[in-house]
């Protein structure tokens, strides 16, 4: 009996081995109203790859994105945004989430082997320089000029454009907002308007919470190379510092704010293990944080009656915030250029941008005409406050392209946080100078 | 008269033994229990403290008028009170919230019904709704396109890797166990090198080799890569197993007229089955769970681990969904474990000479 | 007579050639698929950014402030993990080998931890060890209101935690190798030991373990090689750089901090150094346990 089972197992294995060794046929079935055309690409077990190209009016668009990664957002994007386009044009859009590093790796493989299969990519602005410098994305300047009903926000042109040419179409902008659990509200200092809070008031608030609760409740991402550099950067910008400054006058004042919180043990005890403030805020481990609006929106949506959202705190120079954005681009050498452009036209329409923004956690639609389409639900409030920060605040992008490795720059900031702020000691000018040297050493030659 | 105490003592010992074994099993599986439980929790439950020991089966609501429209509250059995969750005018939003955050979908007509009860005077109106425990799993499958083809592909790759490793590895293992030849020890040791060299460094060069042969983005290519490590492992395991099978048995079979190969097939191989099963287990798990290489080595034909990884890439704030996805991926491995374990622990006794 | 001699020398020929034939597939396989990338990585480790031959990469690794901590942490993890895991795995294997009623079920349950993919293991322990996680929740239900910050301790407490978690995941895989080896020890041999007056421990020590030796060596050497290369569970729990270990440094310079001018050099240097360390440790263990120089056959 046992022998027969083993034999059966072997038969199954061998069978699967045989089926695997057959020429792999990638069949793409595409439905055109009226007819079904099958495109067959046969790959025999040799080095020669033969492609049989059939002239078909409808195609498959391959769309690889680093944005909309949360499962809910994926679901939303597929069924509410992609589906209508597919139905209208009679095409299929193959949508997949891929992180920035893998996107670049794949692009390198595709471009060097001259076998481009991806049509549209969505990359984060920090990596856009790499895409543009390597020449892997198409120049869309003329295309954009042909669209007269939308104006892309100028804030991001330093990343999406180069030498006067536009390569990326911005989508999903985010700025920093203040998120507080309502349990923290009793500790808000007298007379402070949360929608116009200053950094000093924020620090006082954090200290009050720590003293009242016996435990710190402010969340920052303590795991190295995550978001601390941006959280600090916002404070720095509020005091007139540049980004990423460490030892300038404005930055030093910004460090003092955080030093105050650190000395009062205002951070959550587990701060060094946090890589994103979403989970700690949702678990109510932390009650107060300043982080980017889409994730703030996600926490807010989990219970709108339990949280309060406000613009990021301000300093003498205004509300400082780091602004990030992602961008759509067409892969150079894509076989479906026209279809890709049509899809991008659809995606960047102001009303569609707002639809996307609302369905995916509250990103800012970086198209000026989109504001008109906002309503008055809580999510619209998130977007409104974020837009406020974007338009009126002291905003900076991420100059990642200037440095050898942006993660290493982040680490310079993380080290200062760990050595001084978290340790509850004074942030000395010497330490800041060291940190600045650390950052400067990473500049590209 | 002496019998009774002896039997009683034996009973006590047996009970203690089984108690011990059971508590051991419980301790081992406690983390897994929580993972499984987590995959059935709603988002709200998954982030509550203290974490519920088991998912709730239904949700109790209370609705009244709020600032923006209708104020919805949920009953928290641990605190024993209602907590507010949503204040809105849009019914679709209420329905969506119930679905995504609470795992207890209610259709818009049902909500409208409760609203009419509220409007007609019962303020606040209390009602309850059954939870859909499988919501995380259905969401996971909804966003994981290509799940089935990827699953089959992964099974195929695992099967091929096992076959390659056992055949090539088993042969070499037998050689190391039965024969002495020049350079035996050195060769056996150097085979271990493939496991000593950190794989992350050679992943990209591997892609180029495979692409040049034409095996990029094909199951056979992945099997070839995975087999590298598992062949070495199989060699060592089978060698030690073969060493444990007396060569006299094979010699006896030869005396009785069998060829060496027949002796191997009918005498040694069945006895080596536990070792082969253990090697197969390692190989399967390695091939099934490998994600890093698979991402680089595939594009249109991803393995199941890649597909799961991509779906869960952004599951921040939805740890219950990540748990469901992880368990879906673990399920075939657990099935394979169930199947192979009886070969590792032979239930039909040891061998008698 | 001539026929008999020819037959005999033919058999002798086959006896000599067979092992090489059996080994041939492995050698060819590795030569084609593994040797070249490895060779180019080794060569690359002796090159600096401009391609010139240099020992600079190794110097950089040895003077890296994280090198000694990585070495030390890895050493501690390896020594304690391998010992703990081996002893517990042996215990479990012996237990299951008694083939009591339900041992099949127990074996299945004991094997489950090894079947879980790392995404599941990561989710499981992260949600447990966070201050509002299930471990603290469980304690809360049991009456302990004080939350324990599992991951916020010193390096030593983290190491201890990693050892426990790693053991939980890895023990089944060591156990199945040992169990497989135990299957071939005939009951008669064991019983003979009892007949001659030995108790359980003596039988274990003097009869079972010696026979099990090749299996033990295999299990330990495989575990040793894997243990020195531990990194994923640490990064899942505390991220990079917090508790540096050898392979974590490689992944760090290869993936996390890959844009630096020195990244590639650090990654290459560490890769070769790690390989060297693992080889030396393995060699050391094998020499010590007497795996070499004896062609062991069980009578």
């Amino acid at each position: 009996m046992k022998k027969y089972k083993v034999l059966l197992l072997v038969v199954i294995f061998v069978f699967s081995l045989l089926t695997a060794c057959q020429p792999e046929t990638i069949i793409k079935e595409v439905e055109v109203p009226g007819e079904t055309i099958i495109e067959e690409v046969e790959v025999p077990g040799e080095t020669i790859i033969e492609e049989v190209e059939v002239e078909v009016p409808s195609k498959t668009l391959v769309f690889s994105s680093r944005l909309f990664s949360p499962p809910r957002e994926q679901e939303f994007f597929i069924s509410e945004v992609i589906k209508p386009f597919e139905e209208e044009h009679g095409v299929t859009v193959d949508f997949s989430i891929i992180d920035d590093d893998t996107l670049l790796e794949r692009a390198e493989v595709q471009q060097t082997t001259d076998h481009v299969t991806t049509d549209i990519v969505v990359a984060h602005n920090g990596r856009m320089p790499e895409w543009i410098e390597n020449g892997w994305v198409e120049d869309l300047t003329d295309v954009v000029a042909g669209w007269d009903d939308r104006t892309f926000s100028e804030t991001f042109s330093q990343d999406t454009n180069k030498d006067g040419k536009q390569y990326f179409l911005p989508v999903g902008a985010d700025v920093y907002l203040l998120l507080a659990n309502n349990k923290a509200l009793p500790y808000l200092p007298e007379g402070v308007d949360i929608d116009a809070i200053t950094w000093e008031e924020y620090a006082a608030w954090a200290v009050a919470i720590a003293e009242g609760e016996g435990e710190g409740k402010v969340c920052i991402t303590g795991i190295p190379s995550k978001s601390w550099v941006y959280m600090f950067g916002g404070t720095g910008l509020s005091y007139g510092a540049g980004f990423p400054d460490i030892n300038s006058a404005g930055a030093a004042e910004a460090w003092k704010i955080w030093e105050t919180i650190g000395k009062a043990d205002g951070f959550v005890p587990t701060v060094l293990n946090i890589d994103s403030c979403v989970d700690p805020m949702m678990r109510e481990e932390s009650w107060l944080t300043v982080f980017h609006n889409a994730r703030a929106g996600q926490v807010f949506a989990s219970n709108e009656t339990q949280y309060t959202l406000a613009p990021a705190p301000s300093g003498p120079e205004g509300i400082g915030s780091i602004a990030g954005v992602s961008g759509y681009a067409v892969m150079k050498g894509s076989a479906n250029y026209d279809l890709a452009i049509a899809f991008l036209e659809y995606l960047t329409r102001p009303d569609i941008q707002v639809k996307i923004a609302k369905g995916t956690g509250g990103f800012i639609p970086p198209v000026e005409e989109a504001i008109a389409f906002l309503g008055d639900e809580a999510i619209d409030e998130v977007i409104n406050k974020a837009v406020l920060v974007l338009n009126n605040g002291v905003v900076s992008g991420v100059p990642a392209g200037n440095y050898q490795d942006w993660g290493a720059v982040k680490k310079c900031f993380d080290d200062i946080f760990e050595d001084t702020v978290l340790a509850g000691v004074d942030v000395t000018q010497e330490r800041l100078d060291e940190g600045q040297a650390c950052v400067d050493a990473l500049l590209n030659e | 008269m002496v019998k009774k105490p002896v039997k009683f003592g034996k009973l006590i010992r047996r009970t203690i033994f089984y108690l011990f074994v059971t508590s051991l099993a419980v301790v081992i599986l406690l983390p897994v229990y929580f993972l499984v439980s987590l995959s059935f929790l709603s988002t709200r439950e998954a982030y509550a403290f203290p974490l519920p020991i088991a998912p709730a089966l239904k949700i109790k609501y209370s609705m009244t008028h709020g600032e923006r429209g209708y104020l919805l509250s949920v009953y928290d059995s641990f605190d024993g009170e209602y907590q507010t969750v949503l204040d809105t005018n849009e019914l679709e939003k209420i329905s969506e919230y119930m679905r995504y955050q609470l795992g207890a979908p209610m259709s818009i007509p049902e909500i409208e019904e409760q609203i009419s009860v509220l409007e007609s005077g019962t303020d606040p109106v209390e009602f309850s709704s059954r939870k859909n425990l499988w919501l995380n799993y259905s969401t996971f499958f909804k966003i994981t396109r290509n799940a089935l083809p990827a699953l089959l592909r992964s099974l195929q790759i695992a099967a091929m890797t096992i076959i390659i490793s056992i055949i090539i590895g088993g042969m070499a293992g037998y050689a190391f166990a039965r024969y002495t030849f020049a350079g035996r020890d050195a060769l056996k040791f150097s085979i271990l090198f493939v496991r000593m060299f950190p794989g992350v460094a050679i992943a990209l060069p591997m892609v180029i080799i495979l692409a040049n042969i034409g095996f990029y983005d094909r199951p056979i290519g992945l099997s070839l890569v995975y087999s590298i490590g598992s062949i070495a492992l199989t060699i060592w395991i089978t060698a030690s197993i073969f060493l444990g099978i007396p060569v006299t048995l094979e010699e006896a079979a030869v005396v009785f007229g069998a060829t060496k190969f027949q002796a191997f097939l009918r005498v040694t191989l069945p006895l080596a089955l536990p070792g082969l099963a253990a090697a197969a287990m390692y190989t399967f798990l390695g091939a099934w769970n490998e994600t890093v290489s698979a991402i680089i080595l595939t594009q249109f034909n991803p393995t199941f681990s890649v597909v799961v990884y991509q779906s869960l890439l952004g599951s921040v704030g939805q740890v219950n969904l990540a748990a469901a996805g992880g368990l879906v991926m673990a399920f075939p491995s657990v099935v394979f474990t169930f199947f192979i374990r009886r070969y590792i622990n032979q239930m039909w006794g040891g061998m008698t000479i | 007579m001539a026929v008999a001699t020819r037959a005999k020398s033919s058999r002798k020929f086959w006896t000599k050639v067979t092992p090489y034939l059996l080994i041939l597939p492995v050698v060819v396989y590795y030569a084609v698929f593994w040797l070249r990338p490895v060779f180019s990585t080794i060569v690359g480790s002796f090159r600096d950014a401009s391609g010139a031959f240099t020992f600079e990469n190794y110097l950089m690794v040895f003077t890296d402030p994280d090198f000694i901590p990585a070495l030390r942490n890895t050493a501690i993890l390896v020594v304690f993990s391998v010992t703990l895991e081996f002893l517990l795995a042996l215990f479990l294997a012996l237990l299951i080998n008694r083939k009591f009623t339900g041992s099949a079920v127990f074996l299945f349950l004991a094997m489950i931890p090894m079947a879980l993919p790392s995404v599941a293991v990561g989710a499981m322990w992260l949600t447990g060890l966070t201050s509002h996680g299930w471990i603290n929740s469980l304690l809360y239900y049991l009456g302990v209101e004080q939350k324990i910050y599992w991951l916020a301790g010193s390096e030593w407490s983290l190491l201890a935690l990693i050892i426990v978690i790693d053991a939980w995941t890895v023990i089944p895989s060591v156990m199945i190798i040992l169990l497989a080896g135990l299957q071939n020890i005939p009951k008669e041999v064991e019983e003979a030991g009892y007949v001659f007056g030995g108790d359980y421990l003596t039988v274990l020590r003097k009869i079972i373990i010696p026979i099990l030796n090749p299996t033990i060596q295999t299990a330990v050497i495989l575990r040793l090689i894997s243990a020195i290369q531990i990194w994923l569970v640490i990064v899942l729990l505390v991220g990079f750089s917090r508790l540096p270990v050898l392979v974590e440094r490689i992944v760090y310079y290869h993936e996390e901090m890959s844009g630096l001018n020195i990244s590639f050099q650090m990654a290459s240097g560490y890769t070769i150094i790690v390989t060297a360390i693992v080889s030396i440790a393995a060699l050391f263990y094998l020499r010590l346990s007497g795996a070499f120089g004896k062609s062991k056959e069980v009578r």
Side-chain angles (χ1 to χ4, degrees):
Chain A
M1 210 39 236
K2 173 194 79 165
K3 274 205 181 132
Y4 286 120
K5 280 195 199 167
V6 176
L7 193 64
L8 186 63
L9 194 66
V10 172
V11 168
I12 295 175
F13 280 176
V14 172
F15 182 73
S16 62
L17 179 61
L18 286 175
T19 53
C21 281
Q22 269 168 21
E24 182 97 344
T25 321
I26 308 167
I27 300 181
K28 297 179 194 166
E29 207 172 277
V30 166
E31 266 181 25
V32 174
E35 36 172 357
T36 315
I37 300 168
I38 301 179
E39 215 183 296
E40 232 173 68
V41 177
E42 226 171 77
V43 183
E46 306 160 331
T47 46
I48 307 161
I49 299 176
E50 277 173 12
E51 275 193 81
V52 177
E53 260 189 35
V54 180
E55 203 68 60
V56 279
S58 55
K59 304 175 181 133
T60 301
L61 205 58
V62 179
F63 182 98
S64 301
S65 163
R66 53 87 56 196
L67 198 60
F68 314 132
S69 54
R72 263 214 58 204
E73 292 179 16
Q74 288 186 47
E75 210 185 323
F76 169 83
F77 199 74
I78 292 173
S79 53
E80 305 287 326
V81 180
I82 290 184
K83 203 121 146 261
F85 181 81
E86 284 178 323
E87 283 165 5
E88 191 187 319
H89 290 251
V91 296
T92 321
V93 177
D94 181 343
F95 170 73
S96 55
I97 300 291
I98 308 200
D99 63 279
D100 281 292
D101 290 313
T102 315
L103 273 174
L104 283 164
E105 267 170 31
R106 286 240 179 118
E108 192 177 341
V109 172
Q110 287 184 20
Q111 296 284 345
T112 45
T113 58
D114 209 18
H115 187 53
V116 175
T117 42
T118 311
D119 299 304
I120 300 181
V121 295
V122 181
H124 196 242
N125 64 327
R127 314 304 291 271
M128 285 180 190
E130 281 173 73
W131 288 92
I132 300 177
E133 266 152 45
N134 281 313
W136 292 339
V137 286
E138 299 275 3
D139 176 4
L140 301 171
T141 324
D142 296 329
V143 175
V144 174
W147 298 335
D148 55 3
D149 59 345
R150 62 202 75 168
T151 338
F152 291 110
S153 183
E154 271 301 306
T155 323
F156 304 110
S157 55
Q158 60 161 342
D159 300 306
T160 59
N161 303 10
K162 193 174 162 115
D163 301 328
K165 302 206 184 87
Q166 182 154 5
Y167 295 93
F168 283 91
L169 306 179
V171 60
D174 68 71
V175 292
Y176 277 64
L177 294 178
L178 184 152
L179 181 72
N181 192 316
N182 290 351
K183 291 185 187 166
L185 290 177
Y187 292 99
L188 190 63
E190 278 288 326
V192 171
D193 174 12
I194 199 172
D195 278 322
I197 192 171
T198 67
W199 279 108
E200 277 154 25
E201 290 162 350
Y202 179 82
W205 191 9
V207 172
I209 299 175
E211 284 170 358
E213 292 290 317
E215 187 180 282
K217 297 282 185 196
V218 169
C219 175
I220 68 116
T221 57
I223 286 191
S225 306
K226 298 291 171 188
S227 309
W228 166 244
V229 66
Y230 304 127
M231 294 173 171
F232 173 78
T235 320
L237 288 167
S238 307
Y239 283 92
F243 182 71
D245 276 5
I246 292 188
N247 67 350
S248 64
E253 282 188 65
W255 281 110
K256 286 271 170 267
I257 297 287
W258 293 100
E259 181 194 296
T260 317
I261 302 180
K263 285 198 168 158
D265 273 329
F267 298 100
V268 276
T270 53
V271 67
L272 286 178
N273 297 318
I274 298 177
D275 68 344
S276 160
C277 283
V278 173
D279 277 27
M281 288 299 291
M282 278 180 77
R283 282 211 183 89
E284 303 193 333
E285 281 172 20
S286 76
W287 289 354
L288 189 62
T289 186
V290 177
F291 70 152
H292 47 129
N293 59 284
R295 298 297 142 239
Q298 188 176 359
V299 179
F300 187 63
S302 75
N303 188 343
E304 292 171 4
T305 62
Q306 188 64 29
Y307 298 97
T308 307
L309 267 173
S314 60
E317 302 295 321
I319 303 178
S321 169
I322 307 300
V325 75
S326 298
Y328 303 109
V330 179
M331 187 83 118
K332 207 170 201 113
S334 148
N336 299 315
Y337 181 80
D338 295 319
L339 187 59
I341 297 296
F343 191 49
L344 289 186
E345 189 279 324
Y346 165 75
L347 289 174
T348 53
R349 287 182 203 158
D351 54 331
I352 301 292
Q353 284 254 26
V354 171
K355 186 173 175 187
I356 294 175
K358 288 175 72 158
T360 56
F363 283 112
I364 305 171
V367 166
E368 291 175 14
E369 291 78 1
I371 313 303
F373 291 90
L374 290 174
D376 53 15
E377 272 296 305
I379 188 73
D380 300 284
E381 219 185 274
V382 176
I383 301 180
N384 262 316
K385 294 196 177 172
V387 170
L388 200 94
V389 176
L390 184 66
N391 292 337
N392 302 340
V394 182
V395 165
S396 165
V398 179
N402 299 343
Y403 296 89
Q404 291 172 29
D405 188 300
W406 182 243
V409 173
K410 290 187 189 183
K411 190 140 191 303
C412 300
F413 285 79
D414 295 316
D415 288 338
I416 303 181
F417 176 79
E418 214 177 310
D419 298 334
T420 55
V421 176
L422 194 61
V425 301
D426 285 340
V427 182
T428 61
Q429 189 62 37
E430 283 175 79
R431 182 69 187 88
L432 294 184
D433 290 335
E434 260 177 59
Q436 189 67 49
C438 169
V439 170
D440 293 336
L442 293 162
L443 279 165
N444 277 330
E445 269 92 62
Chain B
M1 279 293 96
V2 195
K3 265 196 176 179
K4 259 203 174 160
V6 172
K7 264 199 173 165
F8 192 60
K10 216 180 176 186
L11 193 65
I12 296 274
R13 276 209 312 212
R14 285 196 109 197
T15 320
I16 296 182
F17 178 75
Y18 278 104
L19 221 64
F20 173 70
V21 168
T22 318
S23 41
L24 202 59
V26 167
V27 165
I28 293 176
L29 291 182
L30 198 63
V32 181
Y33 169 76
F34 277 103
L35 186 69
V36 174
S37 166
L38 198 60
S39 71
F40 289 110
L41 294 178
S42 68
T43 307
R44 182 180 165 79
E45 285 176 308
Y47 286 92
F49 182 77
L51 201 68
I53 297 280
L57 293 173
K58 61 178 180 167
I59 312 261
K60 280 175 33 191
Y61 297 103
S62 152
M63 180 154 65
T64 178
H65 289 285
E67 278 176 29
R68 286 187 216 265
Y70 303 105
L71 183 65
L72 191 67
S73 304
V74 167
Y75 184 74
D76 186 335
S77 51
F78 190 77
D79 284 338
E81 355 174 289
Y82 282 94
Q83 287 179 2
T84 58
V85 291
L86 190 59
D87 186 353
T88 180
N89 229 334
E90 289 180 17
L91 298 186
E92 193 173 306
K93 194 157 173 201
I94 298 181
S95 174
E96 231 186 85
Y97 185 86
M98 285 178 172
R99 187 164 193 281
Y100 284 115
Q101 299 286 345
L102 301 173
M106 252 175 93
S107 66
I108 297 197
E110 286 173 324
I111 300 175
E112 282 176 342
E113 213 184 290
Q114 299 300 334
I115 289 181
S116 59
V117 173
L118 174 68
E119 298 294 359
S120 66
T122 325
D123 190 345
V125 58
E126 294 184 3
F127 53 98
S128 64
S129 161
R130 301 233 13 238
K131 263 182 75 190
N132 177 3
L133 289 176
W134 297 95
L135 197 62
N136 292 324
Y137 289 94
S138 58
T139 311
F140 176 75
F141 281 113
K142 227 186 274 182
I143 58 170
T144 313
R145 307 152 310 111
N146 311 332
L148 195 58
L151 184 79
L152 292 175
R153 213 170 286 125
S154 280
L155 285 174
Q156 198 177 45
I157 293 173
M160 285 195 285
T161 315
I162 291 178
I163 293 180
I164 296 176
S165 306
I166 291 205
I167 293 179
I168 297 185
M171 289 201 300
Y174 188 74
F176 283 119
R178 287 281 181 257
Y179 298 89
T180 33
F181 49 93
R184 185 185 80 159
D185 285 338
L187 200 61
K188 197 175 179 207
F189 179 73
S190 52
I191 280 172
L192 276 183
F193 267 115
V194 299
R195 288 192 75 85
M196 298 186 195
F197 202 87
V200 65
I202 49 177
L204 218 45
M206 213 55 102
V207 179
I208 299 176
I209 293 183
L210 286 179
N212 286 335
I213 313 182
F215 284 157
Y216 175 72
D217 205 16
R218 294 181 58 190
I220 187 75
L222 279 163
S223 301
L224 292 174
V225 175
Y226 296 159
S227 297
I228 292 176
S230 49
I231 286 178
L233 190 139
T234 310
I235 291 178
W236 272 75
I237 294 181
T238 51
S240 67
I241 292 297
F242 285 133
L243 277 174
I245 299 173
V247 81
T248 46
L249 288 177
E250 288 171 22
E251 289 170 357
V254 168
V255 163
F256 282 108
T259 64
K260 256 209 141 181
F261 185 63
Q262 281 177 328
F264 171 75
L265 206 57
R266 310 192 77 163
V267 175
T268 322
L269 202 57
L271 290 172
L273 217 49
L276 292 173
M281 180 85 207
Y282 265 93
T283 308
F284 179 88
L285 289 178
W288 184 259
N289 291 335
E290 175 57 47
T291 313
V292 175
S293 314
I295 292 182
I296 302 179
L297 293 169
T298 61
Q299 198 186 359
F300 285 120
N301 297 311
T303 64
F304 195 62
S305 61
V306 173
V307 162
V308 170
Y309 174 77
Q310 284 178 335
S311 305
L312 299 182
L313 205 52
S315 59
V316 182
Q318 284 199 279
V319 71
N320 46 340
L321 189 66
L327 283 173
V328 168
M329 199 172 142
F331 186 67
S333 302
V334 173
V335 168
F336 188 80
T337 309
F338 184 75
F339 176 72
I340 206 116
R341 70 189 157 97
R342 57 207 303 278
Y343 293 100
I344 299 181
N345 191 26
Q346 310 265 272
M347 298 312 289
W348 38 92
M351 138 205 99
T352 44
I353 305 177
Chain C
M1 286 305 110
V3 175
T5 325
R6 243 181 292 146
K8 202 173 174 203
S9 52
S10 149
R11 218 183 19 233
K12 258 203 165 163
F13 171 73
W14 279 115
T15 318
K16 273 207 133 169
V17 166
T18 317
Y20 293 106
L21 283 180
L22 292 173
I23 308 271
L24 195 65
V26 182
V27 176
V28 169
Y29 197 95
Y30 284 164
V32 172
F33 291 110
W34 184 78
L35 226 49
R36 219 162 23 139
V38 168
F39 191 65
S40 57
T41 312
I42 297 180
V43 168
S45 75
F46 286 103
R47 291 223 167 101
D48 67 7
S50 61
F53 182 85
T54 175
F55 282 111
E56 186 183 274
N57 302 352
Y58 292 98
L59 223 64
M60 282 202 291
V61 171
F62 286 127
T63 52
D64 180 22
D66 283 321
F67 179 64
I68 301 286
L71 206 60
R72 183 197 62 214
N73 291 336
T74 313
I76 295 175
L77 283 172
V78 167
V79 167
F80 284 101
S81 286
V82 177
T83 324
L84 182 73
E85 288 157 10
F86 172 68
L87 291 174
L88 285 178
L90 186 63
F91 170 72
L92 283 175
L94 289 169
L95 182 66
I96 294 176
N97 199 38
R98 282 172 146 207
K99 304 193 175 39
F100 53 88
T101 331
S103 67
V105 176
F106 185 73
L107 174 61
F108 171 60
L109 295 177
M111 277 171 81
I112 288 181
M114 90 185 261
L116 298 175
S118 48
V119 58
V121 173
M124 193 168 59
W125 291 111
L126 275 174
T127 53
L129 295 166
T130 182
S131 63
H132 281 224
W134 54 258
I135 298 182
N136 283 343
S137 297
L138 201 59
L139 290 174
Y140 193 87
Y141 286 122
L142 295 174
V144 178
E145 297 226 352
Q146 178 63 27
K147 295 193 201 68
I148 305 179
Y149 302 114
W150 300 98
L151 293 173
S154 65
E155 260 197 33
W156 302 107
S157 67
L158 269 180
L159 281 172
L161 199 62
I162 299 286
I163 292 174
V164 169
I165 292 176
D166 191 47
W168 185 87
T169 323
V170 157
I171 285 177
S173 47
V174 182
M175 178 188 74
I176 59 173
I177 299 182
L178 295 173
L179 194 56
L182 282 173
Q183 299 313 302
N184 283 323
I185 300 180
K187 283 207 110 180
E188 284 72 16
V189 171
E190 211 184 308
E191 280 162 18
Y194 287 120
V195 163
F196 283 105
D199 64 353
Y200 184 69
L201 279 176
T202 334
V203 170
L204 186 66
R205 216 160 35 92
K206 296 216 153 134
I207 299 183
I208 298 187
I209 300 234
I211 302 181
L212 202 56
N213 212 14
T215 313
I216 292 181
Q217 274 168 14
T218 300
V220 173
I221 194 70
L222 288 174
R223 190 59 296 264
L224 187 69
I225 294 176
S226 297
I228 301 181
Q229 297 180 65
I230 186 174
W231 74 275
L232 188 58
V233 63
I234 298 179
V235 170
L236 281 175
L237 289 180
V238 294
F240 289 96
S241 306
R242 179 92 180 279
L243 190 73
V245 287
L246 292 173
V247 177
E248 177 257 351
R249 294 284 90 199
I250 300 179
V251 181
Y252 183 72
Y253 285 107
H254 205 264
E255 308 283 331
E256 178 86 351
M257 203 72 93
S258 52
L260 297 172
N261 288 340
I262 57 164
S263 287
F264 176 73
Q265 296 169 278
M266 290 293 265
S268 311
Y270 263 110
T271 304
I272 306 301
I273 289 176
V274 169
T275 313
I277 291 176
V278 179
S279 324
I280 293 172
L283 210 60
F284 189 67
Y285 169 74
L286 288 174
R287 270 272 141 74
L288 206 68
S289 65
F292 291 145
K294 287 193 199 160
S295 61
K296 301 194 72 168
E297 299 229 8
V298 179
R299 299 252 120 249

